[in-house]
Amino acid sequence: MLMAGFDGLVALLSIPLTVFACFALVDAFIRREDAFRAADKQTKPFWLIILAIALVVSLIFPLLSFLPIIGLIAVIVYFVDVRPAIKQVGGGGGGGRRSGGSSSDGPYGPYNGGR
C-alpha cells in the first residue's frame, strides 16, 4: 500500500519534468542559431540534441533512475545559463518586445499622446 502511494507520487513528479524538458526543447528550437554562437554557449544543434535526449529519457525511464536526473540537470543548465545569455544577445524567437525602445513605443513608432 505504501509503495503504491510512493509510485504514484513519483509518477506525478515525472510529469512536470517531462513538461519542463519539452518546453526547453521547444524554446531552444525557436531561438536563432547565430544567437547561440554569439553568446558562446555551444551550438543550437548541440542543445537540441541534449534537450531531445533529456525529453526521451524522461519519458522512458522512471524518475528515480540516474538518467532522468542527468537530463533534468541539462534542462536546468539550459534555463539558468544558456537561455538568459541567448535572450541578452537578442536571439529571441518570433514575437516578443523589441529590445531598446520606450514602453510607449507602438508598432509604428513612439506614441506621443496625440500631439
Side-chain angles (χ1 to χ4, degrees):
M1 176 80 170
L2 184 61
M3 286 304 290
F6 182 72
D7 287 340
L9 178 66
V10 169
L12 283 177
L13 288 176
S14 68
I15 293 171
L17 170 63
T18 303
V19 170
F20 194 45
C22 184
F23 180 73
L25 181 62
V26 169
D27 184 73
F29 184 74
I30 65 171
R31 302 291 172 187
R32 292 189 344 235
E33 200 268 324
D34 60 337
F36 284 85
R37 287 180 279 137
D40 199 26
K41 300 293 180 186
Q42 294 294 328
T43 62
K44 182 176 180 173
F46 172 83
W47 280 107
L48 288 175
I49 290 169
I50 294 295
L51 295 172
I53 290 172
L55 178 62
V56 169
V57 163
S58 71
L59 289 171
I60 294 176
F61 293 101
L63 182 62
L64 294 178
S65 173
F66 72 95
L67 289 176
I69 303 298
I70 293 172
L72 177 63
I73 291 169
V75 171
I76 289 172
V77 166
Y78 176 78
F79 270 106
V80 172
D81 185 40
V82 177
R83 187 173 186 247
I86 292 171
K87 287 177 80 172
Q88 186 176 16
V89 167
R97 282 191 42 136
R98 295 179 307 194
S99 61
S102 170
S103 63
S104 65
D105 282 355
Y108 306 110
Y111 177 71
N112 61 10
R115 293 182 235 162

XYZ file of all heavy atoms in Angstrom:
857
model
N 0.825 -1.191 0.000
C 0.000 0.000 0.000
C 0.873 1.261 0.000
O 0.620 2.182 -0.751
C -0.921 -0.052 1.223
C -1.754 1.157 1.412
S -3.148 1.082 0.314
C -4.098 2.402 0.924
N 1.882 1.281 0.843
C 2.758 2.443 0.938
C 3.571 2.607 -0.339
O 3.759 3.729 -0.817
C 3.677 2.304 2.150
C 4.594 3.480 2.447
C 3.769 4.724 2.718
C 5.478 3.172 3.630
N 4.045 1.508 -0.897
C 4.823 1.585 -2.134
C 3.956 2.046 -3.310
O 4.443 2.740 -4.192
C 5.457 0.231 -2.460
C 6.634 -0.107 -1.571
S 7.916 1.149 -1.607
C 8.560 0.936 -3.229
N 2.697 1.667 -3.332
C 1.807 2.110 -4.409
C 1.626 3.619 -4.347
O 1.609 4.294 -5.386
C 0.461 1.396 -4.310
N 1.502 4.158 -3.151
C 1.381 5.601 -2.990
C 2.655 6.310 -3.405
O 2.609 7.377 -4.030
N 3.809 5.722 -3.069
C 5.093 6.313 -3.452
C 5.272 6.281 -4.958
O 5.754 7.250 -5.554
C 6.238 5.579 -2.749
C 7.586 6.151 -3.049
C 7.962 7.375 -2.523
C 8.475 5.482 -3.872
C 9.195 7.923 -2.800
C 9.710 6.017 -4.164
C 10.070 7.241 -3.610
N 4.885 5.177 -5.590
C 4.963 5.087 -7.049
C 4.068 6.124 -7.717
O 4.433 6.715 -8.735
C 4.585 3.690 -7.529
C 5.657 2.657 -7.226
O 6.815 3.067 -7.004
O 5.337 1.454 -7.223
N 2.904 6.363 -7.149
C 2.012 7.390 -7.686
C 2.611 8.778 -7.549
O 2.488 9.603 -8.450
N 3.278 9.033 -6.427
C 3.923 10.321 -6.213
C 5.071 10.527 -7.205
O 5.218 11.606 -7.779
C 4.440 10.435 -4.776
C 5.182 11.715 -4.430
C 4.231 12.901 -4.483
C 5.831 11.602 -3.075
N 5.861 9.499 -7.415
C 6.968 9.587 -8.370
C 6.428 9.803 -9.788
O 6.989 10.586 -10.562
C 7.863 8.329 -8.285
C 8.843 8.282 -9.443
C 8.599 8.309 -6.966
N 5.328 9.143 -10.119
C 4.720 9.336 -11.440
C 4.219 10.771 -11.600
O 4.361 11.368 -12.668
C 3.582 8.346 -11.645
N 3.651 11.334 -10.537
C 3.184 12.724 -10.604
C 4.349 13.701 -10.724
O 4.232 14.742 -11.362
C 2.350 13.065 -9.373
C 0.930 12.527 -9.349
C 0.245 12.876 -8.029
C 0.129 13.075 -10.515
N 5.485 13.380 -10.125
C 6.653 14.251 -10.223
C 7.324 14.149 -11.593
O 7.986 15.085 -12.023
C 7.666 13.917 -9.130
C 7.272 14.324 -7.710
C 8.314 13.840 -6.716
C 7.086 15.819 -7.612
N 7.159 13.024 -12.256
C 7.783 12.874 -13.569
C 7.041 13.662 -14.643
O 7.629 14.015 -15.672
C 7.878 11.404 -13.953
O 6.593 10.867 -14.174
N 5.778 13.979 -14.420
C 5.007 14.753 -15.402
C 5.579 16.170 -15.554
O 5.839 16.614 -16.678
C 3.509 14.762 -15.048
C 2.935 13.350 -15.206
C 2.736 15.751 -15.923
C 1.533 13.191 -14.673
N 5.813 16.919 -14.449
C 6.412 18.249 -14.633
C 7.815 18.201 -15.230
O 8.195 19.099 -15.990
C 6.462 18.842 -13.222
C 5.510 18.051 -12.423
C 5.412 16.710 -13.070
N 8.572 17.159 -14.914
C 9.903 17.015 -15.505
C 9.798 16.875 -17.021
O 10.547 17.513 -17.764
C 10.624 15.804 -14.911
C 11.923 15.381 -15.590
C 12.964 16.479 -15.472
C 12.426 14.096 -14.992
N 8.858 16.090 -17.487
C 8.667 15.906 -18.918
C 8.204 17.208 -19.582
O 8.694 17.575 -20.652
C 7.643 14.780 -19.168
O 8.102 13.588 -18.526
C 7.456 14.513 -20.644
N 7.286 17.913 -18.934
C 6.805 19.187 -19.473
C 7.945 20.206 -19.514
O 8.091 20.958 -20.484
C 5.607 19.704 -18.647
C 5.239 21.125 -19.019
C 4.414 18.788 -18.822
N 8.752 20.244 -18.466
C 9.892 21.151 -18.372
C 10.887 20.881 -19.501
O 11.357 21.800 -20.169
C 10.538 20.964 -16.998
C 11.514 22.019 -16.587
C 11.245 23.361 -16.752
C 12.708 21.661 -15.992
C 12.146 24.327 -16.347
C 13.612 22.609 -15.577
C 13.327 23.945 -15.762
N 11.186 19.601 -19.747
C 12.109 19.233 -20.824
C 11.519 19.558 -22.192
O 12.225 20.019 -23.090
C 12.458 17.748 -20.723
N 10.221 19.348 -22.352
C 9.562 19.658 -23.631
C 9.584 21.166 -23.890
O 9.871 21.601 -25.010
C 8.130 19.132 -23.601
S 7.253 19.348 -25.150
N 9.324 21.963 -22.869
C 9.355 23.414 -23.027
C 10.759 23.897 -23.375
O 10.927 24.780 -24.212
C 8.852 24.101 -21.751
C 8.857 25.597 -21.845
C 7.923 26.259 -22.619
C 9.815 26.335 -21.175
C 7.928 27.641 -22.715
C 9.830 27.722 -21.274
C 8.883 28.369 -22.042
N 11.768 23.309 -22.734
C 13.154 23.689 -23.034
C 13.512 23.354 -24.477
O 14.175 24.140 -25.160
C 14.115 22.991 -22.071
N 13.079 22.203 -24.952
C 13.360 21.800 -26.332
C 12.685 22.740 -27.326
O 13.306 23.180 -28.301
C 12.907 20.358 -26.567
C 13.154 19.777 -27.960
C 14.648 19.727 -28.260
C 12.545 18.398 -28.059
N 11.432 23.081 -27.084
C 10.716 23.995 -27.978
C 11.354 25.383 -27.929
O 11.532 26.031 -28.963
C 9.215 24.056 -27.601
C 8.499 25.184 -28.325
C 8.544 22.733 -27.903
N 11.754 25.825 -26.733
C 12.382 27.130 -26.597
C 13.706 27.178 -27.359
O 13.984 28.155 -28.041
C 12.613 27.451 -25.124
C 13.170 28.840 -24.932
O 12.398 29.812 -25.103
O 14.374 28.960 -24.628
N 14.506 26.130 -27.245
C 15.775 26.080 -27.972
C 15.538 26.026 -29.474
O 16.310 26.584 -30.256
C 16.597 24.877 -27.534
N 14.459 25.386 -29.886
C 14.152 25.263 -31.309
C 13.791 26.611 -31.927
O 14.160 26.892 -33.073
C 13.015 24.262 -31.523
C 12.704 23.994 -32.960
C 13.547 23.225 -33.734
C 11.578 24.540 -33.546
C 13.274 22.986 -35.073
C 11.290 24.311 -34.886
C 12.148 23.534 -35.638
N 13.084 27.480 -31.197
C 12.648 28.749 -31.779
C 13.714 29.837 -31.714
O 13.563 30.880 -32.337
C 11.343 29.260 -31.127
C 11.561 29.595 -29.654
C 10.215 28.284 -31.326
C 10.386 30.295 -28.999
N 14.784 29.603 -30.971
C 15.861 30.605 -30.885
C 16.696 30.576 -32.158
O 16.846 29.540 -32.806
C 16.765 30.340 -29.679
C 16.046 30.332 -28.364
C 15.578 31.695 -27.999
N 14.728 31.602 -26.812
C 14.061 32.619 -26.331
N 14.129 33.786 -26.900
N 13.310 32.457 -25.275
N 17.276 31.722 -32.490
C 18.132 31.811 -33.679
C 19.453 31.084 -33.438
O 20.003 31.127 -32.349
C 18.408 33.276 -34.013
C 17.203 34.020 -34.481
C 17.529 35.401 -35.022
N 18.833 35.888 -34.660
C 19.053 37.050 -34.054
N 18.047 37.817 -33.728
N 20.277 37.440 -33.779
N 19.976 30.477 -34.489
C 21.218 29.702 -34.374
C 22.414 30.604 -34.112
O 23.313 30.247 -33.347
C 21.417 28.882 -35.651
C 22.353 27.701 -35.490
C 23.780 28.060 -35.820
O 23.996 28.854 -36.741
O 24.675 27.552 -35.129
N 22.428 31.781 -34.692
C 23.570 32.664 -34.501
C 23.625 33.242 -33.088
O 24.686 33.647 -32.624
C 23.575 33.782 -35.537
C 22.336 34.651 -35.485
O 21.290 34.177 -34.984
O 22.399 35.796 -35.950
N 22.500 33.262 -32.386
C 22.496 33.753 -31.011
C 23.258 32.804 -30.092
O 23.902 33.247 -29.133
C 21.065 33.929 -30.515
N 23.199 31.514 -30.366
C 23.962 30.547 -29.561
C 25.458 30.807 -29.716
O 26.189 30.807 -28.741
C 23.633 29.111 -29.997
C 22.298 28.615 -29.521
C 21.152 28.886 -30.243
C 22.197 27.878 -28.354
C 19.925 28.425 -29.811
C 20.973 27.409 -27.927
C 19.830 27.683 -28.654
N 25.885 31.044 -30.957
C 27.302 31.318 -31.191
C 27.712 32.657 -30.605
O 28.798 32.792 -30.047
C 27.614 31.270 -32.689
C 27.617 29.846 -33.242
C 27.928 29.826 -34.716
N 26.673 30.160 -35.417
C 26.588 30.978 -36.442
N 27.650 31.561 -36.914
N 25.433 31.221 -37.009
N 26.853 33.659 -30.725
C 27.183 34.984 -30.194
C 27.278 34.972 -28.673
O 28.084 35.692 -28.089
C 26.141 36.002 -30.642
N 26.473 34.149 -28.021
C 26.504 34.046 -26.563
C 27.590 33.085 -26.097
O 27.792 32.924 -24.894
C 25.149 33.589 -26.036
N 28.272 32.424 -27.030
C 29.338 31.469 -26.724
C 28.831 30.337 -25.832
O 29.423 29.989 -24.818
C 30.537 32.181 -26.082
C 31.809 31.351 -26.164
O 31.898 30.515 -27.085
O 32.686 31.536 -25.304
N 27.681 29.750 -26.238
C 27.037 28.676 -25.481
C 26.835 27.436 -26.344
O 25.728 26.977 -26.550
C 25.682 29.148 -24.937
C 25.749 30.317 -24.009
C 26.439 29.944 -22.728
C 26.505 31.134 -21.798
N 27.286 30.862 -20.626
N 27.895 26.886 -26.859
C 27.851 25.745 -27.774
C 27.090 26.144 -29.027
O 27.095 27.291 -29.425
C 27.261 24.509 -27.099
C 28.101 23.942 -25.968
C 29.431 23.382 -26.445
O 29.547 22.876 -27.549
N 30.435 23.490 -25.605
N 26.403 25.192 -29.663
C 25.649 25.484 -30.876
C 24.193 25.080 -30.672
O 23.860 24.327 -29.743
C 26.218 24.727 -32.083
O 26.103 23.320 -31.830
C 27.663 25.098 -32.340
N 23.345 25.556 -31.557
C 21.928 25.205 -31.466
C 21.707 23.699 -31.649
O 20.967 23.099 -30.857
C 21.128 26.002 -32.490
C 19.643 25.742 -32.434
C 18.897 26.622 -33.392
C 17.411 26.354 -33.328
N 16.654 27.310 -34.134
N 22.341 23.045 -32.650
C 22.148 21.594 -32.770
C 22.604 20.827 -31.526
O 21.968 19.840 -31.141
C 22.987 21.209 -33.988
C 23.078 22.447 -34.798
C 23.089 23.568 -33.808
N 23.681 21.265 -30.893
C 24.147 20.613 -29.675
C 23.054 20.640 -28.606
O 22.731 19.612 -28.003
C 25.413 21.315 -29.156
C 25.866 20.841 -27.804
C 26.632 19.703 -27.690
C 25.525 21.536 -26.647
C 27.053 19.259 -26.438
C 25.935 21.104 -25.404
C 26.706 19.964 -25.301
N 22.470 21.818 -28.368
C 21.445 21.927 -27.322
C 20.158 21.224 -27.724
O 19.461 20.667 -26.865
C 21.200 23.390 -26.970
C 22.261 23.885 -26.045
C 23.285 24.729 -26.342
C 22.438 23.495 -24.681
N 24.077 24.895 -25.237
C 23.588 24.159 -24.198
C 21.749 22.658 -23.816
C 24.046 24.008 -22.898
C 22.205 22.504 -22.512
C 23.343 23.175 -22.068
N 19.830 21.219 -29.009
C 18.635 20.489 -29.440
C 18.797 18.993 -29.192
O 17.857 18.325 -28.744
C 18.339 20.761 -30.913
C 17.805 22.151 -31.237
C 17.666 22.322 -32.744
C 16.479 22.402 -30.550
N 19.971 18.464 -29.465
C 20.225 17.030 -29.231
C 20.186 16.721 -27.738
O 19.539 15.753 -27.309
C 21.565 16.608 -29.867
C 21.446 16.631 -31.386
C 21.992 15.235 -29.379
C 22.770 16.491 -32.115
N 20.870 17.537 -26.930
C 20.899 17.301 -25.484
C 19.495 17.357 -24.893
O 19.095 16.492 -24.096
C 21.829 18.328 -24.788
C 23.269 18.127 -25.216
C 21.695 18.282 -23.283
C 23.867 16.812 -24.791
N 18.716 18.361 -25.272
C 17.374 18.516 -24.713
C 16.415 17.452 -25.241
O 15.521 17.006 -24.519
C 16.854 19.922 -24.990
C 17.627 21.039 -24.294
C 17.167 22.405 -24.779
C 17.511 20.931 -22.777
N 16.602 17.006 -26.487
C 15.768 15.923 -27.016
C 16.065 14.617 -26.288
O 15.141 13.860 -25.952
C 15.991 15.765 -28.513
N 17.325 14.359 -26.018
C 17.689 13.162 -25.252
C 17.109 13.248 -23.845
O 16.578 12.258 -23.313
C 19.216 12.978 -25.226
C 19.719 12.583 -26.609
C 19.626 11.938 -24.185
C 21.224 12.571 -26.749
N 17.175 14.430 -23.222
C 16.604 14.604 -21.886
C 15.104 14.345 -21.892
O 14.565 13.722 -20.970
C 16.903 16.004 -21.362
N 14.410 14.792 -22.939
C 12.972 14.562 -23.037
C 12.658 13.081 -23.220
O 11.788 12.539 -22.530
C 12.384 15.370 -24.198
C 10.897 15.188 -24.456
C 10.081 15.638 -23.262
C 10.486 15.938 -25.708
N 13.374 12.411 -24.110
C 13.130 10.988 -24.354
C 13.434 10.161 -23.098
O 12.670 9.257 -22.743
C 13.961 10.503 -25.566
C 13.947 8.995 -25.674
C 13.448 11.142 -26.838
N 14.525 10.505 -22.422
C 14.889 9.775 -21.200
C 13.831 9.978 -20.121
O 13.479 9.045 -19.400
C 16.289 10.224 -20.716
C 16.549 9.833 -19.287
C 17.352 9.639 -21.620
N 13.282 11.197 -20.016
C 12.254 11.436 -19.003
C 10.963 10.694 -19.335
O 10.183 10.392 -18.429
C 11.985 12.934 -18.847
O 11.313 13.447 -19.971
N 10.732 10.395 -20.598
C 9.548 9.629 -20.975
C 9.725 8.133 -20.770
O 8.768 7.432 -20.432
C 9.201 9.900 -22.445
C 8.654 11.282 -22.769
C 8.575 11.475 -24.276
C 7.292 11.479 -22.141
N 10.942 7.639 -20.964
C 11.171 6.197 -20.944
C 11.508 5.666 -19.552
O 10.947 4.663 -19.105
C 12.293 5.824 -21.936
C 11.829 6.101 -23.355
C 12.699 4.366 -21.784
C 12.886 5.869 -24.408
N 12.423 6.326 -18.861
C 12.938 5.796 -17.600
C 12.193 6.379 -16.406
O 11.716 7.507 -16.457
C 14.435 6.112 -17.470
C 15.279 5.389 -18.475
C 15.730 6.036 -19.610
C 15.608 4.061 -18.291
C 16.503 5.390 -20.544
C 16.387 3.386 -19.221
C 16.827 4.054 -20.356
N 12.135 5.608 -15.307
C 11.498 6.145 -14.093
C 12.333 7.272 -13.498
O 13.543 7.364 -13.710
C 11.443 4.941 -13.148
C 12.474 3.998 -13.651
C 12.586 4.231 -15.124
N 11.680 8.126 -12.729
C 12.321 9.328 -12.206
C 13.479 9.015 -11.267
O 14.451 9.756 -11.216
C 11.281 10.197 -11.481
C 11.761 11.516 -10.916
C 12.253 12.409 -12.050
C 10.660 12.196 -10.162
N 13.411 7.923 -10.536
C 14.457 7.611 -9.565
C 15.688 6.965 -10.198
O 16.640 6.649 -9.502
C 13.905 6.717 -8.451
C 12.849 7.403 -7.579
C 12.324 6.449 -6.529
C 13.397 8.657 -6.942
N 15.684 6.793 -11.496
C 16.870 6.326 -12.201
C 17.825 7.500 -12.373
O 17.437 8.656 -12.270
C 16.455 5.766 -13.562
O 17.576 5.441 -14.332
N 19.098 7.229 -12.635
C 20.058 8.333 -12.740
C 19.967 9.067 -14.075
O 20.335 10.232 -14.160
C 21.482 7.841 -12.485
C 22.060 7.005 -13.588
C 22.836 7.568 -14.566
C 21.827 5.633 -13.633
C 23.371 6.809 -15.580
C 22.359 4.865 -14.638
C 23.127 5.452 -15.622
N 19.471 8.441 -15.124
C 19.394 9.101 -16.422
C 18.422 10.289 -16.449
O 18.768 11.354 -16.970
C 19.056 8.095 -17.517
C 20.178 7.108 -17.870
C 19.689 6.098 -18.883
C 21.396 7.835 -18.379
N 17.216 10.167 -15.883
C 16.353 11.354 -15.852
C 16.923 12.481 -14.985
O 16.699 13.658 -15.277
C 15.037 10.847 -15.263
C 15.022 9.413 -15.558
C 16.448 8.976 -15.496
N 17.683 12.140 -13.970
C 18.307 13.171 -13.135
C 19.359 13.927 -13.955
O 19.444 15.165 -13.895
C 18.942 12.548 -11.872
C 17.898 11.774 -11.057
C 19.629 13.603 -11.038
C 16.762 12.599 -10.540
N 20.135 13.212 -14.765
C 21.120 13.864 -15.640
C 20.402 14.742 -16.664
O 20.833 15.858 -16.951
C 22.010 12.805 -16.323
C 22.887 12.111 -15.280
C 22.863 13.427 -17.417
C 23.648 10.926 -15.809
N 19.290 14.250 -17.206
C 18.503 15.051 -18.140
C 17.939 16.302 -17.479
O 17.927 17.378 -18.075
N 17.491 16.168 -16.237
C 16.980 17.324 -15.500
C 18.078 18.358 -15.284
O 17.847 19.564 -15.425
C 16.388 16.887 -14.162
C 15.875 17.995 -13.253
C 14.721 18.739 -13.910
C 15.457 17.436 -11.908
N 19.277 17.898 -14.991
C 20.411 18.817 -14.813
C 20.695 19.557 -16.130
O 20.937 20.765 -16.125
C 21.650 18.057 -14.308
C 21.415 17.587 -12.868
C 22.897 18.915 -14.393
C 22.445 16.625 -12.353
N 20.635 18.858 -17.254
C 20.862 19.501 -18.558
C 19.788 20.554 -18.841
O 20.097 21.647 -19.317
C 20.877 18.460 -19.667
N 18.541 20.254 -18.515
C 17.448 21.204 -18.736
C 17.616 22.417 -17.823
O 17.415 23.560 -18.250
C 16.084 20.516 -18.517
C 14.952 21.519 -18.512
C 15.844 19.459 -19.586
N 18.013 22.192 -16.586
C 18.230 23.299 -15.652
C 19.382 24.180 -16.132
O 19.297 25.411 -16.078
C 18.476 22.770 -14.228
C 17.173 22.198 -13.669
C 19.017 23.859 -13.316
C 17.328 21.473 -12.346
N 20.463 23.572 -16.627
C 21.584 24.349 -17.152
C 21.120 25.200 -18.331
O 21.499 26.368 -18.455
C 22.759 23.432 -17.565
C 23.771 24.165 -18.415
C 23.420 22.853 -16.333
N 20.273 24.634 -19.194
C 19.763 25.412 -20.319
C 18.980 26.623 -19.816
O 19.174 27.741 -20.291
C 18.880 24.550 -21.231
C 18.267 25.358 -22.345
C 19.015 25.707 -23.460
C 16.956 25.810 -22.264
C 18.466 26.490 -24.469
C 16.406 26.588 -23.263
C 17.162 26.925 -24.369
O 16.622 27.702 -25.355
N 18.065 26.417 -18.857
C 17.230 27.513 -18.388
C 17.979 28.541 -17.553
O 17.648 29.721 -17.585
C 16.041 26.979 -17.572
C 14.847 26.689 -18.426
C 14.499 25.390 -18.720
C 14.084 27.709 -18.946
C 13.403 25.114 -19.506
C 12.986 27.446 -19.737
C 12.648 26.150 -20.019
N 18.974 28.119 -16.806
C 19.665 29.034 -15.901
C 20.821 29.757 -16.588
O 21.075 30.927 -16.301
C 20.160 28.267 -14.649
C 21.038 29.120 -13.780
C 18.973 27.756 -13.855
N 21.503 29.097 -17.507
C 22.707 29.665 -18.097
C 22.533 30.046 -19.565
O 22.803 31.174 -19.960
C 23.865 28.676 -17.944
C 25.178 29.241 -18.435
O 25.441 30.433 -18.188
O 25.938 28.494 -19.075
N 22.078 29.126 -20.371
C 22.057 29.327 -21.824
C 20.933 30.265 -22.252
O 21.167 31.231 -22.982
C 21.940 27.970 -22.551
C 21.855 28.160 -24.042
C 23.117 27.080 -22.178
N 19.726 30.014 -21.798
C 18.572 30.804 -22.233
C 18.719 32.291 -21.905
O 18.474 33.138 -22.770
C 17.297 30.233 -21.630
C 16.033 30.880 -22.140
C 14.814 30.130 -21.624
N 13.607 30.641 -22.214
C 12.672 31.281 -21.521
N 12.810 31.473 -20.235
N 11.589 31.714 -22.123
N 19.120 32.678 -20.672
C 19.299 34.111 -20.403
C 20.391 34.749 -21.271
O 20.243 35.895 -21.699
C 19.670 34.170 -18.923
C 19.153 32.916 -18.346
C 19.240 31.899 -19.434
N 21.466 34.011 -21.527
C 22.544 34.558 -22.364
C 22.061 34.779 -23.790
O 22.389 35.784 -24.423
C 23.746 33.631 -22.343
N 21.265 33.859 -24.301
C 20.747 33.985 -25.661
C 19.751 35.139 -25.738
O 19.757 35.920 -26.689
C 20.108 32.662 -26.116
C 21.179 31.605 -26.288
C 19.332 32.841 -27.404
C 20.634 30.239 -26.510
N 18.912 35.271 -24.726
C 17.952 36.372 -24.721
C 18.658 37.714 -24.604
O 18.219 38.704 -25.177
C 16.957 36.186 -23.577
C 15.963 35.069 -23.838
C 15.047 34.858 -22.678
C 13.945 35.886 -22.709
N 12.900 35.622 -21.706
N 19.753 37.757 -23.883
C 20.505 39.005 -23.737
C 21.159 39.414 -25.058
O 21.249 40.587 -25.374
C 21.555 38.861 -22.646
C 22.274 40.148 -22.331
C 23.243 39.987 -21.183
O 23.603 38.867 -20.817
N 23.665 41.088 -20.618
N 21.598 38.430 -25.813
C 22.209 38.703 -27.116
C 21.146 39.216 -28.089
O 21.458 39.917 -29.036
C 22.903 37.428 -27.653
C 23.273 37.567 -29.108
C 24.123 37.113 -26.832
N 19.903 38.880 -27.830
C 18.834 39.324 -28.724
C 18.371 38.232 -29.640
O 17.841 38.499 -30.705
N 18.565 37.012 -29.228
C 18.182 35.895 -30.073
C 16.808 35.373 -29.765
O 16.586 34.183 -29.709
N 15.881 36.257 -29.503
C 14.524 35.832 -29.208
C 13.884 35.163 -30.402
O 14.290 35.351 -31.531
N 12.862 34.393 -30.138
C 12.147 33.726 -31.212
C 11.249 34.707 -31.932
O 11.475 35.903 -31.941
N 10.207 34.226 -32.537
C 9.298 35.117 -33.228
C 8.398 35.832 -32.242
O 7.722 35.219 -31.458
N 8.385 37.111 -32.229
C 7.494 37.864 -31.352
C 8.212 38.396 -30.139
O 9.418 38.351 -30.009
N 7.422 38.897 -29.225
C 8.003 39.488 -28.034
C 8.294 40.957 -28.257
O 8.099 41.496 -29.332
N 8.748 41.636 -27.236
C 9.069 43.057 -27.337
C 10.405 43.255 -28.014
O 11.302 42.461 -27.870
C 9.127 43.668 -25.951
C 7.771 43.928 -25.393
C 7.910 44.751 -24.168
N 8.897 45.796 -24.387
C 8.756 47.035 -24.021
N 7.686 47.401 -23.409
N 9.699 47.926 -24.231
N 10.522 44.365 -28.657
C 11.814 44.730 -29.234
C 12.721 45.177 -28.112
O 12.268 45.737 -27.131
C 11.657 45.878 -30.227
C 10.855 45.534 -31.432
C 10.750 46.732 -32.308
N 10.259 47.874 -31.526
C 9.818 48.981 -32.048
N 9.806 49.123 -33.339
N 9.389 49.970 -31.295
N 13.999 44.959 -28.297
C 14.924 45.471 -27.298
C 15.241 46.918 -27.620
O 15.284 47.338 -28.744
C 16.209 44.638 -27.282
O 16.845 44.700 -28.534
N 15.444 47.695 -26.676
C 15.808 49.081 -26.845
C 14.595 49.944 -27.024
O 14.081 50.159 -27.052
N 13.946 50.688 -26.939
C 12.777 51.444 -27.138
C 12.057 51.731 -25.846
O 12.309 51.158 -24.830
N 11.185 52.653 -25.932
C 10.425 53.102 -24.778
C 9.244 52.177 -24.536
O 8.807 51.458 -25.437
C 9.944 54.532 -25.035
O 9.033 54.929 -24.058
N 8.674 52.285 -23.338
C 7.495 51.481 -23.052
C 6.280 52.017 -23.788
O 5.262 51.348 -23.858
C 7.233 51.451 -21.544
O 6.949 52.763 -21.081
N 6.373 53.257 -24.318
C 5.245 53.823 -25.059
C 5.374 53.608 -26.562
O 4.587 54.159 -27.320
C 5.130 55.323 -24.758
O 6.273 55.997 -25.241
N 6.358 52.852 -27.002
C 6.510 52.580 -28.429
C 5.402 51.661 -28.902
O 5.083 50.661 -28.274
C 7.858 51.928 -28.729
C 8.990 52.931 -28.735
O 8.704 54.138 -28.604
O 10.141 52.513 -28.861
N 4.820 52.005 -30.012
C 3.811 51.167 -30.633
C 4.398 50.454 -31.824
O 5.602 50.520 -32.084
N 3.559 49.782 -32.599
C 4.074 49.036 -33.749
C 4.603 49.945 -34.862
O 5.380 49.506 -35.699
C 2.867 48.227 -34.221
C 1.682 48.936 -33.686
C 2.132 49.613 -32.426
N 4.205 51.242 -34.866
C 4.631 52.154 -35.917
C 5.546 53.262 -35.398
O 5.755 54.256 -36.063
C 3.409 52.779 -36.601
C 2.453 51.720 -37.101
C 1.225 51.542 -36.509
C 2.809 50.888 -38.155
C 0.359 50.564 -36.947
C 1.954 49.909 -38.598
C 0.726 49.748 -37.994
O -0.103 48.771 -38.432
N 6.064 53.103 -34.202
C 6.946 54.105 -33.619
C 6.445 54.574 -32.269
O 5.493 54.025 -31.728
N 7.059 55.609 -31.730
C 6.671 56.055 -30.387
C 5.298 56.727 -30.397
O 4.919 57.398 -31.348
C 7.768 57.053 -30.010
C 8.425 57.438 -31.269
C 8.212 56.320 -32.245
N 4.572 56.519 -29.317
C 3.275 57.150 -29.143
C 3.497 58.473 -28.427
O 4.087 58.534 -27.362
C 2.354 56.244 -28.329
C 1.005 56.862 -28.055
C 0.080 57.015 -29.080
C 0.671 57.315 -26.791
C -1.143 57.584 -28.849
C -0.558 57.885 -26.552
C -1.470 58.024 -27.580
O -2.666 58.590 -27.336
N 2.999 59.567 -28.997
C 3.229 60.875 -28.399
C 1.991 61.481 -27.766
O 1.924 62.669 -27.537
C 3.827 61.836 -29.446
C 2.904 62.031 -30.622
O 1.763 61.610 -30.603
N 3.410 62.686 -31.660
N 0.985 60.699 -27.532
C -0.208 61.182 -26.829
C -1.123 62.031 -27.697
O -1.870 62.847 -27.191
N -1.085 61.889 -28.984
C -1.967 62.621 -29.879
C -1.525 64.063 -30.117
O -2.323 64.902 -30.505
N -0.282 64.381 -29.852
C 0.222 65.744 -30.062
C 0.614 65.987 -31.464
O 1.001 65.273 -32.245
C 1.430 66.012 -29.164
C 1.021 66.031 -27.727
C 2.220 66.343 -26.873
N 2.278 65.236 -25.912
C 3.296 64.914 -25.216
N 4.406 65.547 -25.359
N 3.257 63.955 -24.366
